Amino acid sequence: MKLLRDTWLVYLRYLGLFIRNPAWVAIGVLQPVLYLILFAPLLKSISASPGFPRGGAYNVFVPGLLIQLGLFGAAGVGFSLISELRYGVVERLRVTPVSRLALLLGRALRDIMSLLIQSLILILLSLPFGLNIHLGGLLVMLALIALIGLFMASISYACALWLKSEDSFAPLIFTATLPVLLLSGVLLPLTLASEWLRRVAAANPLSYAVDAARAIFNDHMGDASVTKGVAIMAVLAVGAVAIAARNFGRAVS
Amino acid sequence: MTATDLLGADAAVTVIEARDLRRTFKSRGGDVEAVAGVDLTVRAGEIFGFLGPNGAGKTTTLRMLATLPPPSGGEATVAGYDLRRQPDKVRENIGYVGQRGGTDAQVSSRSELVLQGRLYGMAKAQAQERAAELLAVLELEDAADRQAGTYSGGQRRRLDIGIGLMHRPRLLFLDEPTTGLDPQSRARLWVEVRRLAGAGTTVFLTTHYLEEADALCDRLAIIDHGRVVVEGSPDELKRQVAGDLVVLGVDGDAEAAMRLLQAQDFTREATLDEGTVRLYVDRGEAAMPAILRLLDSAGLPLQTIALSRPSLDDVFLRQTGKSLRETAP
């Protein structure tokens, strides 16, 4: 009960900051939109090639973009935390009886909300290009994005609390995210990949999220890959939350 | 047992009791003992100052007492609760204002105050009411709904203090509250801190300003290299050093004047320097009338008389072998 109340209060603080500066939603959605306009048309010509999944270029590409949005959109949230560490905000909150888990969840909730708004914008913008999705699929997709957001935001906050400096945080987070992204088949399906690349990708949990997303957009909601992708991301999110919440409870020098 | 012990029972309630408090942290060169066994007693309602150069361990000690880093050793009771075993209880009863403040530039003071109150369990209306009250007291009403980034240094600091006071703590920690403030803002803050103490809040602050420790604190501890070197009221500490100095300008036989004064009980030491007599005495304000009477009846006319008291820097110098003014940034 106290955890829920505290989470809500922390969420409201960051929601207030978000509302003061909603331009971030537009900036966040800009990159995937550029992919949509400048890169997706290239896929049309190869979508007929052997190995390319069924469903048309946009139903293959947009799910990947959504996963990418979840991953990169949440990867950078640690930057704001580093500036708060510098201003003493985290320290001040840690001296109150607020739940340490709430300090993380309240923030992550705001980040997830921002991601979901961006995802909806992206999906809406893709509809004219021929994207198909029904309500049930949309809801599962948003849940999957929320889990990826929670996972990635927690990792990002944990790293920020650990490194306490933008100079080391930025290279770490972006260097670590890029291979995860490339090995997940976000841009082009891994069915096009060679055998060794597919094996490496199989070890990347995010590739299961991408598989799940593509199955959802191909109207294969009952597909085992959907349950698998959601379950894997849920487990990862819980683990990341546990690590990050512990970091919030630890001494911040 | 003195009368104060019997009558002023309240004044003797301790709010902080620390024994052999230690904090060691690891660095590449090995373990560093930032706080090396600090003993402290802070009584209810007093303004207690922690004076020392940068790196002496004052901030680390204050942060430990405010439940931030756990002590590596020792025991402490803060606001009636055991620091190690009941940090949550301690948190409910203390306010903390860190060196870096506690707000970022994009929030307004009203929203931060209300959030702070609600994190301590206040209902929304209750928190709003208390926030309005503090905004009025701290004269932040005009700026209440503006982003903190637009505030002056003094306003920002008052907001930090307001945040620390939202839940009416019994004990307020202020870590270098006036560092970086202009003289007017500093003076205002002193008034605010005195008003708080007058209303019964115990204030524990750190400072590296001698004037601040002297003017503001009821009692203080001087800390150097992670240890308390001396503790007492500013007057007591200064008296321990060498006593007060009375400088006399004598018109006529200065040597006779010196010999006469040297023979008095209140004189610890006397020196003569070209018509100027320097007397070190225990209590200058009590010695001066006697000096005037003696010289007058001996027919030795006095041109000037000046009393100078040792500063806390003299205390610091004596206890640590170095001047705080030299070590302060």
Side-chain angles (χ1 to χ4, degrees):
Chain A
M1 192 53 217
K2 175 169 156 51
L3 174 65
L4 287 181
R5 184 178 183 274
D6 284 356
T7 303
W8 180 245
L9 291 172
V10 175
Y11 168 72
L12 287 180
R13 180 181 199 267
Y14 293 97
L15 180 67
L17 289 173
F18 176 79
I19 289 169
R20 276 180 187 271
N21 209 343
W24 287 112
V25 171
I27 293 168
V29 88
L30 182 67
Q31 211 188 10
V33 166
L34 288 176
Y35 272 105
L36 191 68
I37 298 167
L38 304 178
F39 184 78
L42 301 178
L43 292 172
K44 284 217 160 166
S45 48
I46 63 158
S47 63
S49 55
F52 201 89
R54 290 170 299 115
Y58 285 90
N59 271 24
V60 171
F61 187 58
V62 173
L65 273 188
L66 287 168
I67 302 290
Q68 186 190 6
L69 179 70
L71 194 71
F72 273 120
V77 296
F79 280 107
S80 67
L81 184 61
I82 291 174
S83 113
E84 288 196 356
L85 283 170
R86 203 165 288 134
Y87 279 116
V89 181
V90 179
E91 192 170 275
R92 160 196 146 210
L93 294 174
R94 287 180 67 243
V95 179
T96 71
V98 70
S99 145
R100 273 53 186 144
L101 184 54
L103 286 181
L104 169 71
L105 290 180
R107 267 169 232 258
L109 206 58
R110 193 276 311 259
D111 302 332
I112 290 169
M113 181 206 72
S114 160
L115 281 181
L116 294 182
I117 294 173
Q118 293 173 35
S119 304
L120 283 171
I121 294 174
L122 184 63
I123 290 170
L124 279 175
L125 291 175
S126 308
L127 291 177
F129 292 94
L131 182 80
N132 289 309
I133 190 160
H134 55 80
L135 188 64
L138 181 68
L139 292 178
V140 178
M141 188 62 215
L142 292 180
L144 186 62
I145 293 169
L147 285 173
I148 293 171
L150 181 59
F151 165 69
M152 209 50 220
S154 303
I155 295 281
S156 183
Y157 287 133
C159 289
L161 287 168
W162 174 47
L163 295 169
K164 303 183 186 80
S165 135
E166 287 94 347
D167 295 341
S168 39
F169 175 78
L172 175 81
I173 207 86
F174 291 114
T175 313
T177 331
L178 191 61
V180 172
L181 192 73
L182 291 177
L183 285 173
S184 64
V186 158
L187 299 178
L188 288 171
L190 283 159
T191 43
L192 297 172
S194 60
E195 182 61 27
W196 72 269
L197 200 57
R198 255 181 291 176
R199 278 210 206 113
V200 179
N204 177 9
L206 201 72
S207 66
Y208 297 96
V210 177
D211 287 347
R214 294 221 165 99
I216 294 166
F217 275 82
N218 270 311
D219 212 5
H220 291 141
M221 286 284 287
D223 204 293
S225 65
V226 177
T227 330
K228 199 173 171 187
V230 172
I232 287 175
M233 287 322 295
V235 171
L236 286 177
V238 169
V241 164
I243 292 168
R246 202 185 52 160
N247 276 10
F248 266 102
R250 279 202 178 157
V252 182
S253 55
Chain B
M1 186 167 282
T2 67
T4 13
D5 288 332
L6 290 169
L7 299 171
D10 275 345
V13 172
T14 55
V15 174
I16 301 177
E17 183 86 54
R19 289 292 159 253
D20 198 31
L21 209 59
R22 286 166 189 277
R23 174 76 187 165
T24 314
F25 58 86
K26 297 201 188 322
S27 80
R28 269 169 214 168
D31 286 1
V32 178
E33 207 163 38
V35 178
V38 160
D39 294 330
L40 274 182
T41 305
V42 178
R43 299 184 202 112
E46 71 182 357
I47 303 175
F48 188 91
F50 228 32
L51 177 69
N54 284 348
K58 15 179 229 310
T59 293
T60 309
T61 307
L62 180 141
R63 292 177 79 250
M64 269 198 285
L65 293 170
T67 76
L68 283 169
S72 326
E75 294 292 325
T77 310
V78 178
Y81 295 95
D82 188 289
L83 183 62
R84 283 165 176 279
R85 284 166 208 94
Q86 300 161 289
D88 288 337
K89 282 286 179 193
V90 172
R91 287 188 186 116
E92 282 169 22
N93 288 285
I94 62 165
Y96 169 78
V97 181
Q99 227 171 81
R100 288 169 290 190
T103 56
D104 36 343
Q106 291 90 24
V107 292
S108 77
S109 47
R110 194 188 303 278
S111 63
E112 283 296 85
L113 288 169
V114 171
L115 168 73
Q116 187 79 359
R118 299 203 69 198
L119 290 177
Y120 282 96
M122 287 183 191
K124 195 172 182 181
Q126 199 188 353
Q128 280 167 339
E129 197 178 311
R130 171 72 175 152
E133 190 182 305
L134 279 172
L135 287 167
V137 172
L138 298 169
E139 290 178 41
L140 283 171
E141 278 168 316
D142 294 341
D145 299 301
R146 274 204 329 244
Q147 298 189 21
T150 65
Y151 290 12
S152 70
Q155 285 178 315
R156 194 82 180 252
R157 219 356 79 121
R158 295 209 294 282
L159 167 59
D160 295 337
I161 291 179
I163 287 172
L165 290 174
M166 246 331 256
H167 59 296
R168 297 188 176 83
R170 294 168 55 193
L171 168 63
L172 181 67
F173 288 100
L174 299 173
D175 194 4
E176 302 202 355
T178 64
T179 299
L181 291 188
D182 59 81
Q184 284 92 337
S185 303
R186 181 177 300 173
R188 278 203 58 176
L189 213 69
W190 288 3
V191 171
E192 202 50 51
V193 171
R194 285 198 197 100
R195 200 185 53 77
L196 273 174
T201 309
T202 310
V203 179
F204 183 103
L205 60 90
T206 65
T207 181
H208 56 247
Y209 296 120
L210 295 159
E211 302 78 11
E212 183 159 282
D214 205 352
L216 195 55
C217 299
D218 298 314
R219 280 192 323 120
L220 55 95
I222 292 180
I223 182 167
D224 193 38
H225 295 302
R227 276 175 232 276
V228 171
V229 289
V230 66
E231 185 184 329
S233 76
D235 280 342
E236 276 165 23
L237 294 182
K238 285 183 279 187
R239 213 165 285 146
Q240 282 171 14
V241 180
D244 298 341
L245 173 67
V246 182
V247 182
L248 306 160
V250 185
D251 192 16
D253 193 350
E255 210 175 321
M258 190 194 80
R259 274 197 303 274
L260 173 66
L261 294 171
Q262 210 164 22
Q264 304 304 317
D265 283 345
F266 56 73
T267 305
R268 284 197 198 175
E269 201 186 325
T271 58
L272 177 65
D273 180 27
E274 290 179 26
T276 303
V277 180
R278 294 171 172 273
L279 283 185
Y280 289 93
V281 298
D282 285 334
R283 289 174 61 229
E285 71 276 17
M288 283 202 346
I291 294 169
L292 291 173
R293 262 196 317 274
L294 281 163
L295 293 180
D296 203 40
S297 55
L300 293 160
L302 202 54
Q303 256 183 343
T304 59
I305 182 164
L307 170 67
S308 82
R309 305 204 124 132
S311 70
L312 283 176
D313 199 32
D314 298 320
V315 178
F316 195 80
L317 181 68
R318 187 171 124 138
Q319 297 290 345
T320 68
K322 61 186 181 222
S323 165
L324 187 62
R325 293 197 194 280
E326 285 161 17
T327 55

